[in-house]
Amino acid sequence: MDAKTLLEQDHQRVNKLVQELTVHEKIEEQILYPEVKERATAKQLEDLVTESYEEHHFVDIVKAEIENTPFEAEEWAAKFKVRGAFKKDDLEDMGMRMEDLKEQLMEGVMAEERTGA
């Protein structure tokens, strides 16, 4: 797979994750947080819910930036100007190296999740 194709596929996956994140936020905000807040007997628990809403607000800002930047926009297009600078073989080689590094990085993320680091 060449570098351009790899990045395009990653972008599509990121958009899907953004959609899943939106659903996740909505179920927490509309059901979980109000229920927890209603039953909260300690100020600490109520503060935790308030903090969670603030975290979601930050995620919403980042999410909006991703969603509102079309794939064809200059920010994304700039990444693909390499088409004129690299031959097909160069893009294939770069894509293989990117896939390898991505796999290594994802393995590291998964290992951190397993160990709780």
Side-chain angles (χ1 to χ4, degrees):
M1 168 180 334
D2 69 38
K4 179 184 173 287
T5 303
L6 182 135
L7 293 174
E8 286 174 341
Q9 288 178 357
D10 275 358
H11 183 76
Q12 290 169 357
R13 279 192 291 277
V14 167
N15 280 337
K16 184 173 176 7
L17 289 173
V18 165
Q19 292 168 350
E20 289 181 28
L21 181 59
T22 300
V23 169
H24 172 84
E25 282 186 309
K26 287 184 187 299
I27 64 174
E28 281 187 335
E29 290 174 357
Q30 293 177 19
I31 297 173
L32 178 66
Y33 295 162
E35 292 288 330
V36 169
K37 200 166 192 172
E38 184 178 305
R39 290 169 176 74
T41 56
K43 177 83 170 108
Q44 183 180 15
L45 186 56
E46 193 169 330
D47 289 346
L48 179 63
V49 171
T50 301
E51 183 180 311
S52 296
Y53 278 115
E54 288 304 313
E55 287 174 354
H56 278 210
H57 175 68
F58 175 74
V59 169
D60 288 340
I61 291 170
V62 173
K63 197 173 56 169
E65 188 173 307
I66 291 170
E67 289 175 331
N68 294 324
T69 304
F71 189 68
E72 299 76 28
E74 185 175 308
E75 296 86 352
W76 295 111
K79 295 179 183 198
F80 298 113
K81 292 207 175 178
V82 297
R83 284 178 293 187
F86 295 98
K87 296 177 184 168
K88 182 171 176 30
D89 290 345
D90 294 331
L91 286 172
E92 287 289 338
D93 177 63
M94 195 168 30
M96 288 189 325
R97 289 185 290 138
M98 290 169 74
E99 283 179 309
D100 289 344
L101 179 57
K102 181 179 177 182
E103 187 176 310
Q104 291 171 18
L105 293 172
M106 292 305 293
E107 286 173 4
V109 167
M110 299 303 284
E112 285 179 12
E113 288 178 0
R114 283 192 300 272
T115 62

